[in-house]
């Protein structure tokens, strides 16, 4: 079956027939074994339901009322497959821990991390995999208060600084958000650049061809933005 034809099958069927395993490194099962795979993804939920689930989790985290987790319970299921309910593009900042922030367990979130939470080609490829092969219905771009990467980008723009090594490329990627915040005459340039960096990357993902934009247009996937406040643990949707 050709790749294009597979695309038109349901995502559940894709998961069931082992396409994801094939993609991830030659782990395809023989045809007979493939037919014994589960018929449906256990987490087949809508983008809105996925968003509710993670935001409810954030409310529990803020209230210090997270669910106790029995990590051994799902080991066998996790060894067989993964069905993450949301993909999160977050900063590498050590204080930003998506599974904790959203009170989720292993297998629940598909996470791409890098300083400044912006979309690059490798991150986009990972998100495409999450959407197309794992059936992930929701992508959240998650910025955070006090982001060092955005702060450095603001300094570069404001003070004409030059950063060493590969940091220049990182700043270049965040610079459009800094310029947007400056143009809007933001009262707090860093805070507004953090939010604009999230908005900018949400739009970039919504339009990302040739995979994610199609899922967004059909309503199967939503891309949303949020900012995590390290002082309160609260995620605010933008
Ligand atoms: Zn950061």
């Amino acid at each position: 079956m050709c790749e294009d034809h597979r695309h038109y099958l349901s995502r559940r069927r894709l998961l069931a027939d082992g396409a994801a395993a094939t993609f991830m490194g030659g782990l395809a099962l023989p045809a007979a074994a493939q037919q014994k795979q589960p018929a449906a993804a256990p987490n087949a939920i809508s983008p809105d339901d996925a968003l509710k689930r993670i935001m409810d989790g954030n409310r529990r985290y803020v209230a210090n009322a997270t669910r106790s987790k029995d990590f051994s319970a799902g080991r066998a299921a996790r060894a067989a497959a993964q069905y993450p309910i949301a993909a999160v593009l977050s900063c590498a900042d050590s204080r930003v821990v998506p599974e904790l922030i959203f009170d989720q367990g292993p297998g629940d979130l598909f996470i791409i991390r890098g300083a400044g939470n912006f979309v690059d080609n490798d991150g986009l490829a990972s998100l495409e995999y999450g959407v197309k092969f794992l059936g992930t219905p929701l992508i959240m771009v998650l910025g955070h208060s006090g982001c060092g990467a955005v702060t450095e980008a603001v300094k570069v723009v404001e003070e004409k600084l030059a950063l060493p090594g590969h940091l220049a490329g990182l700043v270049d990627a965040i610079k459009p958000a800094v310029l947007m915040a400056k143009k809007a005459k933001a009262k707090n340039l860093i805070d507004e650049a953090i939010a604009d960096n999230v908005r900018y990357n949400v739009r970039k993902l919504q339009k990302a061809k040739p995979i994610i934009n199609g899922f967004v247009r059909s309503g199967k996937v939503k891309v949303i933005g949020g900012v995590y406040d390290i002082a309160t643990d609260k995620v605010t949707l933008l």
Side-chain angles (χ1 to χ4, degrees):
M1 187 182 294
C2 72
E3 181 61 26
D4 284 338
H5 192 117
R6 284 178 188 275
H7 180 68
Y8 293 103
L9 296 175
S10 75
R11 284 176 290 157
R12 292 174 193 176
R13 171 71 189 283
L14 269 175
L15 290 161
D17 74 8
T22 307
F23 181 85
M24 281 305 270
L27 297 175
L29 298 169
Q34 287 178 22
Q35 287 163 8
K36 292 175 187 167
Q37 297 301 299
N43 77 330
I45 62 174
S46 70
D48 289 338
D49 286 345
L51 179 60
K52 182 178 185 312
R53 205 188 288 184
I54 64 171
M55 292 307 286
D56 283 349
N58 180 240
R59 276 185 279 278
R60 291 195 299 274
Y61 188 58
V62 169
N64 203 26
T66 52
R67 288 184 175 150
S68 62
K69 293 178 179 65
D70 177 357
F71 294 110
S72 67
R75 277 178 191 154
R78 289 197 295 274
Q82 59 168 325
Y83 306 105
I85 60 166
V88 182
L89 174 60
S90 92
C91 187
D93 193 298
S94 63
R95 301 163 296 179
V96 181
V97 189
E99 286 92 344
L100 295 178
I101 291 169
F102 295 115
D103 192 23
Q104 301 297 312
D108 291 332
L109 300 179
F110 189 80
I111 299 173
I112 292 90
R113 298 185 68 159
N117 45 268
F118 58 83
V119 182
D120 60 10
N121 280 346
D122 293 334
L124 179 58
S126 292
L127 290 167
E128 287 175 342
Y129 178 74
V131 164
K132 180 160 181 172
F133 292 97
L134 303 180
T136 306
L138 180 72
I139 299 174
M140 178 183 277
V141 180
L142 184 65
H144 69 96
S145 61
C147 183
V150 174
T151 303
E152 289 306 313
V154 167
K155 278 189 198 166
V156 166
V157 171
E158 292 292 88
E159 301 167 27
K160 309 276 188 276
L161 296 178
L163 296 181
H166 292 79
L167 289 167
L170 186 145
V171 164
D172 282 347
I174 301 172
K175 219 184 254 182
V178 178
L179 298 177
M180 284 162 59
K182 270 177 74 79
K183 198 174 169 190
K185 301 193 185 340
K187 279 186 195 155
N188 185 321
L189 186 55
I190 291 174
D191 285 352
E192 200 51 44
I194 286 167
D196 280 342
N197 185 45
V198 169
R199 293 186 189 102
Y200 178 74
N201 282 284
V202 165
R203 285 196 294 274
K204 203 169 168 182
L205 282 172
Q206 286 169 334
K207 290 186 282 189
K209 290 179 180 173
I211 295 176
I212 293 178
N213 69 329
F215 280 90
V216 169
R217 276 206 313 270
S218 69
K220 288 177 180 164
V221 169
K222 271 192 181 169
V223 185
I224 55 155
V227 174
Y228 167 62
D229 184 342
I230 290 174
T232 64
D233 284 325
K234 191 174 188 309
V235 173
T236 301
L237 298 179
L238 297 179

